[in-house]
Amino acid sequence: MMHFIREHAKGFFAWLIVILIIIPFAFWGINSYFDGGSADSVVARVNDVEITAREFQRVYVRERARRQEMLGENADPALLNDALIKRDVIDRLVNSESVAQAAIDAGLRIGDAQLAREIIQNPQFQQDGRFDGELYARLLNSMGLTEKGFEAEVRQDMLVEQLVSGVTGSEFATERELQEVAALVDQERDIAYLTLSPGDFSGEAVPTDEEIAAYYEENKDLFSLPEQVSVEYLELSATDLMDGIEVDEDALRRMYEEQEANFVQAEERRASHILITAGPDADEAADQAARDKALQLLERIRSGESFEEIAKAESQDPGSAAEGGDLGFFGRGMMVKPFEEAVYGMSIGDISEPVRTRFGYHIIKLTDIKAQQGRPFEEVRPTLEQEYRELVAEDRFYDIAEQLSDLTYEIPDTLEVAAQELELEIKTSPLFSRHAGEGIASNPKVRAMAFSPDVLEAGNNSEPVTIGTNHVVVLRIKDRRSTSHKPLEDVRDEIIASLQREASAEKARALGEEIRERMTAGEDPASLAEEYQLEWREAGFVRRDDSGVPGEVLRAAFRMMPPGQDQARIEGVELVSGGYAVVALKAVRGSAVAEGNGEESGERFKNLVLRKYGAQAGNGVLESIRKRSKIEIIQENL
Amino acid sequence: MSAYETDDQQVEAIKKWWRENGKALIFGAVLAVAGVGVGSYWFQYQSGRAESASVEYGQLLSELGQDNREAVLKRGEFLVNTYPKTGYAALAALIVAKARVEAGEMAAARAQLQWVIDNADQPELKNVARLRLARIQLAEGNAQQALATLSGIEGNAFAAAAEEIRGDAYMAQGDTGAARTAYQKALDVSEPGSDTRLLRMKLDNIGSPLKADA
């Protein structure tokens, strides 16, 4: 290359070009040509800054997991609406990016040192209260982040935080606002009212058949039944498979052999002994005497006397002496150490020298050895068989489940083939709706699958639905009942009740209106109420949260325009329950309470104002920044 | 330029060219290097200042969180005065204004907010300052001035807040009809999901045109 340049770079312009090429390298280095530029698709652009699919995926996966955890394992999949989560996540990313850009535009900066401090102080990356670089690297790695990427993210968050806290944190409440809010929230109103409930006008005539039929036609929606389906399904579970498994004796034998180590019974030895006692704290003379005695007995045995007879006559171990010294079979770890060592160092028929233990001197005779031996196959067979069945069932389960998945996918319009091939029974569920069902339909995943477009509309077999450990079903729609209406006969009584209720409510309303009008015209409320055999209730001054006045009446009273000087304001209120109320608002006054306990309620109102205006300012800033940012979301890459 | 016969000729030509252009070239190079140097120094100086301001501002926020009024005032004013050209000045001024309002020093608070309106680059910060300035003017009994301040708000991201304060101003002037219209408009343009309880109370208190069962 240099040769080429020398050959051809013969003029001023040629040199100039060379220099021009050198300049960018001098300033940016060669690595800017290799950084970035990877083929990652873009989900959004904010003023030409790209948010990549990878970034989006990472946040999305985390958010989805968070919601899943919140809803629990067997949540209805419909609640985890992917489209909705995606929209929230992209919204958040776009907001954060655009606000951070606005912050940069406004001249906000986070220096490297400041960034480092933020990261070092994050308890997530600390071990024993100190930043741990290795932990940091590991955690980032597990989140699929590079240090550079993470630091850019933190920097962005810090910029957003600086701008948002500055705006919302600087919110204030003026004295005037506090008073105004106190006057509104703690306001008291002097009210009186009467209520007419439809129950007061019951005993209505039974409506005619025509009326009933007309009502049914007009209000058909009220009597609708939700769409329902029943499904046929193949159910496969490892537990069911266990029964059908033929037990292969050879396999059990093999398992037995493989696991023999778990079934062995350790070696046991049988010995007899003659004990001449000498405690651990016996003095030398006593010790010597016992030892001499033992040696003497040993001599007699060696010269032909019977070990058993001598044991019976001389042994000082009362437990075994009568048995001729026999101790029976024992394994390792059951006798004192020196005794055990002696026994396990002997052959059958051997008689030991006197052995000193903390009991004294023993002359030991090894009489029998039961070699190490396995528990017999017959004894452990039931355990093995259970284990075998589980293993084979699980194996078969995976095998059959795969075939089931393949067969039902390849032949999507029937379960028959898979049923025959795999010897499964086609079962049928009762009808169930999208939101409730019994049997397998009590599982929300099953319902969601049955009502998924591919199964419900296209009529295909479903994918396998896992409904438990090693337990799947594949289903297809058997019967579909679209939204329908209960027949008139079934709902006749319901309709009669409704019509009567409506008639009563209408009467109550008409009467209430009449009372209201007469009251407005100036008649005395109390005597009016008496005339209609109703009760005029004087509630006096009440607050917004008064519990003695029916909620609807109270809310209506606080929505009425304050009355003039001389006359109460009167309004009629139709109640949701079907009744009617006539409400009189006589006076409005500021709170006696608010003035009473200043400090506490002052703080309460201050928080109310700060929250309200702070949220308005914060949201306004966000909305305004979004509006002047060029935001492009590429839906198909989400 | 034609090709040369020998290397000597070539060397001779380069020397000649150097004699003719050397000085200019060196001068140019020095100038370029100096230019880049000054530019880069300036850039670093500027971002260095912004970064120092950022650290100060971080401390200001934590003092604000601790309700340490004295420290907030001191550091806030220091930020506004020392780094007026960074974005932190406007945010600090908003924070100082809060501290002033809470001390009842309305004129000083107004001055800070006015500074933001006059000096901030970001329309959002200007509008936030206008809303707050109007509320202070209203608290001081200058409904007319408050209305004038509110009319400076641009765009509709702050419309709900502006209309509500406008309603408060009309109420202060005794114009219930105009207040009702403003409150109703505030309600209409409020973001779904925002807290409108107080606004509804204000509206109800002067007789909402809505039916009671709405």
Side-chain angles (χ1 to χ4, degrees):
Chain A
M1 169 122 171
M2 290 319 287
H3 179 68
F4 174 86
I5 292 171
R6 228 156 56 105
E7 285 283 287
H8 296 271
K10 287 183 176 156
F12 175 74
F13 285 102
W15 282 108
L16 189 70
I17 287 166
V18 170
I19 288 164
L20 283 179
I21 293 171
I22 289 168
I23 286 172
F25 283 102
F27 282 91
W28 289 284
I30 197 152
N31 48 356
S32 34
Y33 286 85
F34 298 104
D35 270 0
S38 57
D40 197 357
S41 64
V42 173
V43 290
R45 279 190 199 90
V46 179
N47 298 324
D48 297 328
V49 173
E50 294 176 344
I51 296 174
T52 65
R54 231 172 87 195
E55 237 176 304
F56 171 76
Q57 275 300 325
R58 215 186 49 245
V59 181
Y60 166 72
V61 166
R62 211 164 29 186
E63 176 65 19
R64 194 171 193 290
R66 196 183 63 82
R67 293 194 192 189
Q68 172 91 59
E69 196 178 341
M70 245 169 49
L71 291 169
E73 180 59 31
N74 266 330
D76 185 347
L79 286 176
L80 271 177
N81 185 331
D82 282 338
L84 217 70
I85 303 176
K86 281 182 176 172
R87 212 188 55 200
D88 286 355
V89 167
I90 193 69
D91 227 39
R92 211 167 357 146
L93 288 174
V94 165
N95 283 349
S96 169
E97 176 62 38
S98 49
V99 172
Q101 284 182 24
I104 293 274
D105 280 351
L108 307 198
R109 295 285 182 279
I110 304 294
D112 289 341
Q114 207 177 350
L115 176 68
R117 204 167 49 239
E118 176 80 12
I119 291 174
I120 285 170
Q121 283 171 353
N122 187 337
Q124 233 187 320
F125 305 131
Q126 287 179 350
Q127 191 112 45
D128 307 324
R130 293 190 54 183
F131 178 75
D132 181 342
E134 215 169 282
L135 180 67
Y136 176 61
R138 209 166 54 236
L139 276 177
L140 292 199
N141 199 22
S142 74
M143 288 189 282
L145 277 164
T146 60
E147 281 189 24
K148 212 168 128 192
F150 178 69
E151 283 159 16
E153 225 173 72
V154 173
R155 184 171 256 136
Q156 174 162 327
D157 289 348
M158 289 173 80
L159 283 167
V160 171
E161 170 68 15
Q162 281 194 339
L163 185 60
V164 172
S165 318
V167 169
T168 55
S170 57
E171 194 53 76
F172 55 74
T174 66
E175 207 44 52
R176 181 182 184 279
E177 285 163 343
L178 292 181
Q179 281 166 13
E180 189 186 64
V181 173
L184 279 172
V185 174
D186 280 346
Q187 193 179 69
E188 294 178 340
R189 296 191 163 200
D190 183 6
I191 65 174
Y193 64 97
L194 62 77
T195 53
L196 299 96
S197 81
D200 298 342
F201 306 93
S202 56
E204 285 295 321
V206 174
T208 64
D209 282 350
E210 287 76 28
E211 283 170 331
I212 292 170
Y215 185 91
Y216 178 75
E217 285 307 321
E218 260 175 56
N219 298 285
K220 253 189 156 163
D221 288 351
L222 294 179
F223 310 116
S224 66
L225 285 167
E227 179 170 26
Q228 286 185 311
V229 296
S230 70
V231 295
E232 10 179 66
Y233 61 98
L234 297 176
E235 185 173 12
L236 180 64
S237 84
T239 319
D240 290 349
L241 289 173
M242 269 171 62
D243 299 333
I245 287 166
E246 270 185 44
V247 179
D248 175 359
E249 286 299 324
D250 290 345
L252 288 190
R253 289 270 176 204
R254 272 200 303 281
M255 282 170 74
Y256 176 74
E257 278 157 28
E258 279 164 20
Q259 301 183 31
E260 211 167 357
N262 301 333
F263 298 130
V264 293
Q265 196 151 20
E267 180 188 301
E268 288 186 346
R269 292 190 169 203
R270 181 177 187 172
S272 303
H273 77 146
I274 298 162
L275 175 65
I276 306 301
T277 54
D281 44 1
D283 58 37
E284 209 160 309
D287 189 74
Q288 189 62 45
R291 193 179 140 80
D292 288 349
K293 171 87 176 164
L295 282 171
Q296 194 192 329
L297 291 177
L298 181 60
E299 202 50 44
R300 284 168 58 190
I301 294 165
R302 292 224 169 116
S303 60
E305 284 188 51
S306 150
F307 184 95
E308 284 73 26
E309 293 305 324
I310 293 180
K312 270 182 195 160
E314 305 286 347
S315 177
Q316 292 168 359
D317 173 16
S320 66
E323 308 296 323
D326 185 20
L327 294 166
F329 280 103
F330 52 88
R332 277 185 185 274
M334 288 169 72
M335 298 294 174
V336 287
K337 209 69 194 170
F339 190 94
E340 180 181 299
E341 270 166 21
V343 168
Y344 275 83
M346 294 158 73
S347 314
I348 295 179
D350 287 358
I351 291 169
S352 73
E353 295 286 318
V355 175
R356 179 71 163 115
T357 71
R358 62 190 159 92
F359 301 108
Y361 286 92
H362 306 260
I363 301 163
I364 306 166
K365 181 182 182 188
L366 182 62
T367 54
D368 201 356
I369 294 179
K370 206 188 272 175
Q372 164 178 322
Q373 80 185 171
R375 282 169 70 193
F377 174 72
E378 293 312 321
E379 198 180 314
V380 295
R381 196 180 172 289
T383 320
L384 286 172
E385 185 181 330
Q386 176 70 14
E387 201 179 321
Y388 175 80
R389 282 181 194 278
E390 277 168 17
L391 276 171
V392 176
E394 193 168 322
D395 252 19
R396 290 230 325 239
F397 172 80
Y398 285 121
D399 186 34
I400 301 178
E402 201 179 315
Q403 291 183 53
L404 177 64
S405 173
D406 290 349
L407 282 170
T408 51
Y409 177 75
E410 280 157 17
I411 309 158
D413 49 3
T414 176
L415 294 173
E416 291 285 351
V417 181
Q420 271 174 19
E421 199 91 354
L422 305 175
E423 294 177 351
L424 291 169
E425 181 197 348
I426 298 182
K427 301 180 196 170
T428 305
S429 80
L431 283 166
F432 59 91
S433 75
R434 225 173 267 266
H435 303 293
E438 286 167 12
I440 62 160
S442 62
N443 185 314
K445 288 188 208 163
V446 169
R447 293 200 303 272
M449 184 58 85
F451 281 92
S452 69
D454 193 47
V455 174
L456 184 66
E457 303 299 342
N460 290 325
N461 294 335
S462 76
E463 295 162 25
V465 185
T466 303
I467 60 176
T469 314
N470 293 338
H471 192 180
V472 298
V473 296
V474 171
L475 53 89
R476 62 177 292 104
I477 300 293
K478 178 176 173 62
D479 193 9
R480 177 179 182 183
R481 228 166 270 180
S482 55
T483 315
S484 59
H485 296 99
K486 295 180 198 165
L488 174 57
E489 275 324 298
D490 287 4
V491 294
R492 197 183 156 82
D493 291 346
E494 214 177 300
I495 292 178
I496 292 175
S498 294
L499 282 171
Q500 286 178 332
R501 211 162 40 237
E502 270 180 24
S504 319
E506 178 54 34
K507 269 203 172 155
R509 200 182 62 80
L511 201 58
E513 299 267 335
E514 193 181 312
I515 296 172
R516 180 180 61 82
E517 268 164 36
R518 288 176 63 183
M519 226 181 264
T520 311
E523 289 191 47
D524 176 50
S527 44
L528 256 175
E530 209 179 329
E531 183 184 330
Y532 290 96
Q533 292 177 323
L534 293 163
E535 195 182 346
W536 183 244
R537 296 171 202 268
E538 297 276 359
F541 277 100
V542 292
R543 294 163 51 85
R544 285 177 195 272
D545 55 2
D546 190 280
S547 56
V549 179
E552 282 176 278
V553 171
L554 192 63
R555 276 195 296 280
F558 273 94
R559 300 194 75 150
M560 285 161 69
M561 197 187 292
Q565 284 298 317
D566 40 341
Q567 210 185 1
R569 214 171 276 282
I570 290 159
E571 264 181 39
V573 185
E574 278 182 53
L575 304 178
V576 177
S577 61
Y580 193 86
V582 181
V583 185
L585 173 61
K586 297 194 275 192
V588 174
R589 73 174 184 206
S591 162
V593 182
E595 285 144 29
N597 52 4
E599 261 315 274
E600 197 182 315
S601 62
E603 202 53 34
R604 179 160 63 96
F605 293 129
K606 189 175 166 192
N607 286 336
L608 208 132
V609 173
L610 291 185
R611 259 208 318 278
K612 172 191 166 67
Y613 282 113
Q616 266 178 343
N619 292 338
V621 167
L622 174 61
E623 205 189 318
S624 171
I625 288 174
R626 274 194 73 135
K627 270 186 183 147
R628 67 188 171 86
S629 303
K630 210 176 81 204
I631 292 169
E632 184 190 353
I633 293 172
I634 299 137
Q635 292 290 349
E636 61 268 25
N637 289 348
L638 285 185
Chain B
M1 230 178 261
S2 59
Y4 299 95
E5 293 295 316
T6 65
D7 278 0
D8 282 352
Q9 273 180 329
Q10 196 174 343
V11 170
E12 205 46 48
I14 290 171
K15 281 185 178 165
K16 178 166 174 273
W17 179 86
W18 182 252
R19 273 196 299 276
E20 283 165 5
N21 301 299
K23 273 185 193 153
L25 193 69
I26 288 171
F27 182 69
V30 167
L31 207 65
V33 168
V36 168
V38 167
S40 131
Y41 172 77
W42 179 245
F43 178 76
Q44 280 188 1
Y45 171 75
Q46 284 298 340
S47 51
R49 274 182 70 80
E51 285 169 14
S52 321
S54 178
V55 174
E56 286 283 335
Y57 178 72
Q59 277 163 341
L60 176 63
L61 283 182
S62 80
E63 285 158 356
L64 179 68
Q66 293 155 7
D67 251 337
N68 187 345
R69 205 180 83 83
E70 210 130 294
V72 164
L73 277 180
K74 199 164 153 219
R75 198 182 299 277
E77 279 171 357
F78 170 77
L79 259 167
V80 178
N81 295 329
T82 315
Y83 302 101
K85 292 264 190 293
T86 70
Y88 293 104
L91 291 168
L94 288 178
I95 291 171
V96 170
K98 171 195 169 72
R100 293 290 184 200
V101 168
E102 284 175 355
E105 299 157 1
M106 296 310 207
R110 269 193 282 112
Q112 291 294 337
L113 294 173
Q114 193 60 54
W115 189 91
V116 175
I117 295 169
D118 294 339
N119 294 288
D121 285 335
Q122 304 299 306
E124 291 78 29
L125 298 187
K126 282 176 190 273
N127 284 337
V128 167
R130 286 193 182 102
L131 288 175
R132 291 180 184 170
L133 178 60
R135 285 164 55 204
I136 292 176
Q137 288 163 335
L138 194 53
E140 290 178 314
N142 290 323
Q144 197 56 48
Q145 274 180 24
L147 287 170
T149 303
L150 289 171
S151 67
I153 289 178
E154 298 143 5
N156 48 11
F158 295 93
E163 288 300 337
E164 182 168 347
I165 298 165
R166 198 165 277 146
D168 291 347
Y170 287 131
M171 279 301 281
Q173 290 179 331
D175 188 347
T176 315
R180 187 182 291 126
T181 313
Y183 286 148
Q184 187 59 50
K185 199 168 163 198
L187 200 56
D188 293 343
V189 298
S190 280
E191 287 285 311
S194 55
D195 180 5
T196 56
R197 284 173 303 176
L198 208 55
L199 175 59
R200 278 181 189 283
M201 283 184 200
K202 288 178 185 174
L203 194 52
D204 290 343
N205 200 43
I206 51 176
S208 122
L210 302 167
K211 285 293 289 177
D213 57 347

